[in-house]
Each structure stands twice: as C-alpha cells, then as structure tokens.
Amino acid sequence: MKTALDNMYSILNFEEKGDERGSLIVAEGDGIDIPFAIKRVFYIYGSDAEVTRGQHANKKTEFVLINICGTSKVKMNNGKEEKVIVLDRPRMGLYLKKMLWKEMYDFSEDSILLVLASEHYDAGEYIREYSKYLAYIDSL
Ligand code: TYD
C-alpha cells in the first residue's frame, strides 16, 4: 500500500537515446518528461561524503534531482515517515513534490547533482528549521 510519503515523490526513468556516438538524455518540461514547467536549473558539485545539503522544505517549489555524474543519497521526510533514495545513474530522476523535508548527502567525489525546479528562487518559501517545518505542516 502507498503511504503518504510515497505520494510525495516518484522515480522518473528517462529514455536513453544512445547510439554509437554516446548517450543522450532529454528532460523536457510541461509534463513530457518532467511533471512541471521548468523555471530554474542549478547544479551541486564539489560536495564530499561528509557534507549534508538541503535540510529544508519548500512551500511552493517542486524539484527533479538527477545525478548526471557520480552518486548521492536523498533522505526524504514528511514529518512522520522517512525514506532514502540513491541517485546513481544519469537516466534516473527523483521528483519531489512541495512540502517534503529533504537532505542530500554521501556525495561521491565526482558527483554532479542537477536540480530542475518548478519556481524561481524565493528564499521566503524555504523552511530551513525542522521544528518550524513540523509546526507548519501541523497548521495546514
Ligand atoms: P541552499 O538552498 O542552502 O543549497 P542546498 O539546497 O544545496 O543545501 O543554497 C545555497 C546558497 O545558494 C544560498 O545562499 C541560497 C543560494 N541559492 C540561490 O541564490 N538560488 C537558488 O536557486 C538556490 C538553489 C540557492
């Protein structure tokens, strides 16, 4: 049975359009490959195995995370349940809906984590304290 947390994320498997020249993966927005219209792209690299990034929830933004090189782990939490997903191939995307608490960690040395976002950056829609996150979801 699907839990509440299971309904807040999904794994995307992009088609690999490879041929003898190499691999090519397309991530088109607007529901084609990515469930939302892509407004922002950023990528994280140079973080090592000791670092934990993220540690926040977003009131509005949805994300798709893709380790286009190397590997990392994402821990997701909805205030009640927790789950860890390993990002270990460029054709895999992790779609995160809004209001999930997330942490990215255990970055391989060569990790490049590409992030596609549904909204422009707005520091005000980030909740960066876990206790505030719990209070916020309780108030909904
Ligand atoms: P932060 O959200 O802490 O990164 P992570 O989610 O990987 O832990 O962002 C690091 C810094 O970059 C912080 O000062 C905010 C800034 N930033 C932007 O200006 N625009 C963006 O789109 C993002 C993701 C971060």
Side-chain angles (χ1 to χ4, degrees), residues 113-131:
L113 179 60
L114 178 71
V115 183
L116 313 176
S118 66
E119 305 296 329
H120 294 296
Y121 185 66
D122 169 11
E125 64 107 14
Y126 279 70
I127 304 175
R128 290 181 179 271
E129 267 179 57
Y130 189 65
S131 58

Side-chain angles (χ1 to χ4, degrees), residues 57 77-79 99 101 127 129-137:
N77 179 313
N78 66 352
M99 287 313 296
W101 186 265
I127 304 175
E129 267 179 57
Y130 189 65
S131 58
K132 286 192 179 154
Y133 168 68
L134 292 178
Y136 185 79
I137 52 177

Side-chain angles (χ1 to χ4, degrees), residues 40 42 44 53-54 56 104 121 126 128:
R40 176 163 56 113
F42 56 95
I44 294 166
R53 303 197 59 119
H56 45 56
M104 296 84 85
Y121 185 66
Y126 279 70
R128 290 181 179 271

Side-chain angles (χ1 to χ4, degrees), residues 1-55:
M1 215 187 76
K2 270 197 158 192
T3 66
L5 181 61
D6 290 334
N7 288 322
M8 295 178 80
Y9 80 93
S10 63
I11 307 288
L12 310 177
N13 286 298
F14 306 119
E15 190 186 339
E16 203 169 320
K17 297 174 186 288
D19 58 28
E20 64 287 346
R21 297 169 301 163
S23 297
L24 186 151
I25 287 172
V26 183
E28 281 201 59
D30 298 319
I32 300 173
D33 306 297
I34 303 298
F36 49 76
I38 301 162
K39 285 199 182 158
R40 176 163 56 113
V41 175
F42 56 95
Y43 35 98
I44 294 166
Y45 59 98
S47 295
D48 61 30
E50 314 305 316
V51 166
T52 301
R53 303 197 59 119
Q55 297 181 300

Side-chain angles (χ1 to χ4, degrees), residues 59-77:
K59 292 181 184 172
K60 289 191 307 198
T61 307
E62 300 189 327
F63 297 95
V64 170
L65 279 60
I66 308 165
N67 247 113
I68 55 171
C69 182
T71 63
S72 69
K73 291 186 181 132
V74 183
K75 190 188 285 179
M76 306 172 291
N77 179 313

